[in-house]
Amino acid sequence: MMDLKKTDAPVTTVTYNRNEIDAPTDNIYEAISVIAKRAEQINTDIRRELIDKLDEFATYNDSLEEIFENKEQIEVSKFYEKLPKPHALAVKEWLDDKIYHRNTEDTQE
């Protein structure tokens, strides 16, 4: 898993140069497909990490009258809410040439 605190992926909408996106594949649709698959992986990793961290601070109580806010869980949630979205992280990785990809059609002869 990447270090989410050190990423410089944008947290707001960014317009990218199409030529930069499709340069590694010469096909914009293939590039977007690879980025989308990576974004799904990142989203799964982040969700798993968030659930694990929230569980660390969970307090299990059978009484509904004793519901209270867990400050640690709130802080963890706020940290994850402020992170760049998975697709922004995937695009950043793509542009930094950190995603391994290959065209399977090229290898089947």
Side-chain angles (χ1 to χ4, degrees), residues 38-109:
R38 179 62 184 137
E40 288 177 27
Q41 292 172 342
I42 291 170
N43 188 48
T44 300
D45 290 346
I46 290 174
R47 183 178 293 134
R48 188 176 299 126
E49 188 177 301
L50 172 60
I51 289 169
D52 289 348
K53 288 193 181 191
L54 289 176
D55 280 348
E56 287 177 29
F57 301 110
T59 54
Y60 299 101
N61 209 332
D62 291 338
S63 173
L64 291 176
E65 288 141 17
E66 294 183 31
I67 296 174
F68 59 93
E69 292 182 345
N70 185 322
K71 287 186 173 147
E72 290 88 358
Q73 285 182 321
I74 292 170
E75 290 305 312
V76 167
S77 295
K78 284 181 179 178
F79 169 78
Y80 281 90
E81 285 174 9
K82 292 177 185 173
L83 288 177
K85 301 294 180 228
H87 67 271
L89 294 164
V91 170
K92 178 70 178 144
E93 285 184 359
W94 178 256
L95 293 175
D96 291 347
D97 199 27
K98 292 183 178 176
I99 298 177
Y100 171 77
H101 65 93
R102 64 185 173 90
N103 187 333
T104 54
E105 291 176 12
D106 292 345
T107 59
Q108 297 174 352
E109 292 181 10

Side-chain angles (χ1 to χ4, degrees), residues 2-17 20-22 24 31-32 34-40 42 46 83-101:
M2 69 183 73
D3 188 349
L4 296 171
K5 292 179 184 176
K6 294 182 181 175
T7 184
D8 59 348
V11 292
T12 57
T13 304
V14 174
T15 302
Y16 292 99
N17 180 334
E20 289 178 25
I21 298 292
D22 70 9
I32 290 172
V34 172
I35 293 168
K37 287 176 186 170
R38 179 62 184 137
E40 288 177 27
I42 291 170
I46 290 174
L83 288 177
K85 301 294 180 228
H87 67 271
L89 294 164
V91 170
K92 178 70 178 144
E93 285 184 359
W94 178 256
L95 293 175
D96 291 347
D97 199 27
K98 292 183 178 176
I99 298 177
Y100 171 77
H101 65 93

Side-chain angles (χ1 to χ4, degrees), residues 18 21-22 25-33:
R18 176 186 183 267
I21 298 292
D22 70 9
T25 60
D26 293 324
N27 183 325
I28 189 68
Y29 302 105
E30 185 179 341
I32 290 172
S33 176

